[in-house]
Amino acid sequence: MASLTTTSYAILGLLAIRPWTTYELAQQMERSLRHIWPRAQSRIYEEPKRLVELGLADAVKDHVGRRPRTTYSITGKGQRALNEWLQVSGGGPVVEFEALLKVFFAEYSSKDGVEANLAAIRAWAEDQNAENIAFARLYRDSGGPFPERMASILLVGKFITDFTDMLTTWCDWAEETVTHWPDDGPPTPPHDVLDSIANRPGPAGPLPG
């Protein structure tokens, strides 16, 4: 369906797991999607209503005490649309990484500024790794909230864990490299790193532009 976005399908995927209120959807997006599709969170109050208008979701209104709430669930039409979307290969990752962007412009900063950003990246990786371990122990010890989804969850969970480990390894190298930069003046480029990348086997890809 041309009017649906990736965020639309992300929400349909959550509704395929079980019905959710808007508040519960927001919580689940924070829990499971923020590392792979964070933009879904900004659409949480609009997109379910649009899915209902398209016949892809149902909405049931009731009350908790005196407070109204709406619970959304996927329809058969929504299940078919989700299945069709899942059969088509998706695009690759797009990295949005402010601290790394600042490292990219290191020559206009200071050595202290670069080291501060590397420390921020390491701190993020350590926090993420602690979260990865906590989730893994939860699923190992109790099965987690969706034990029937364990196989799919672990496919993505290992990617996020390996990505976090890669960042930590990169921080080890980057921090050691920057330690040897002069306090003033341009640093010496690590040509061994350039050679190690350029000399990898396999054809070179096309240059952008």
Side-chain angles (χ1 to χ4, degrees):
M1 301 180 67
S3 61
L4 297 184
T5 65
T6 301
T7 296
S8 306
Y9 288 110
I11 293 175
L12 273 180
L14 291 179
L15 294 180
I17 297 172
R18 48 154 279 193
W20 309 88
T21 65
T22 306
Y23 175 74
E24 289 170 334
L25 269 175
Q27 285 189 312
Q28 190 61 24
M29 285 178 177
E30 172 67 18
R31 179 187 178 92
S32 62
L33 298 185
R34 65 188 173 95
H35 293 307
I36 54 177
W37 201 254
R39 70 191 67 179
Q41 292 173 293
S42 66
R43 300 292 300 278
I44 184 56
Y45 296 104
E46 305 169 22
E47 198 61 32
K49 296 175 183 178
R50 196 164 77 93
L51 295 175
V52 171
E53 292 174 358
L54 294 170
L56 303 174
D58 283 331
V60 175
K61 296 184 178 182
D62 61 1
H63 288 78
V64 178
R66 302 177 66 179
R67 197 170 90 183
R69 70 175 181 182
T70 303
T71 301
Y72 295 92
S73 59
I74 197 168
T75 63
K77 182 180 178 182
Q79 290 274 10
R80 291 190 295 273
L82 176 64
N83 182 260
E84 289 175 5
W85 176 72
L86 290 171
Q87 306 313 308
V88 179
S89 298
V94 177
V95 178
E96 185 176 305
F97 196 164
E98 185 183 21
L100 191 60
L101 178 64
K102 293 186 176 185
V103 171
F104 182 73
F105 293 112
E107 70 268 33
Y108 304 112
S109 181
S110 64
K111 182 177 176 179
D112 287 345
V114 177
E115 288 176 331
N117 276 289
L118 293 176
I121 294 171
R122 180 180 291 280
W124 182 92
E126 290 173 350
D127 288 345
Q128 181 59 54
N129 194 43
E131 183 178 302
N132 296 341
I133 293 169
F135 272 113
R137 289 177 179 173
L138 170 68
Y139 274 89
R140 182 196 63 190
D141 298 341
S142 69
F146 303 107
E148 72 282 0
R149 303 196 63 245
M150 181 78 75
S152 299
I153 289 169
L154 286 179
L155 281 177
V156 176
K158 179 166 171 48
F159 171 84
I160 293 173
T161 301
D162 288 351
F163 176 75
T164 305
D165 289 343
M166 180 276 291
L167 275 183
T168 301
T169 300
W170 176 82
C171 279
D172 291 340
W173 169 81
E175 288 172 337
E176 174 64 20
T177 298
V178 173
T179 295
H180 299 290
W181 283 10
D183 293 328
D184 297 304
T188 301
H191 290 292
D192 59 323
V193 174
L194 178 62
D195 290 339
S196 71
I197 298 171
N199 293 334
R200 289 188 177 192
L207 293 174

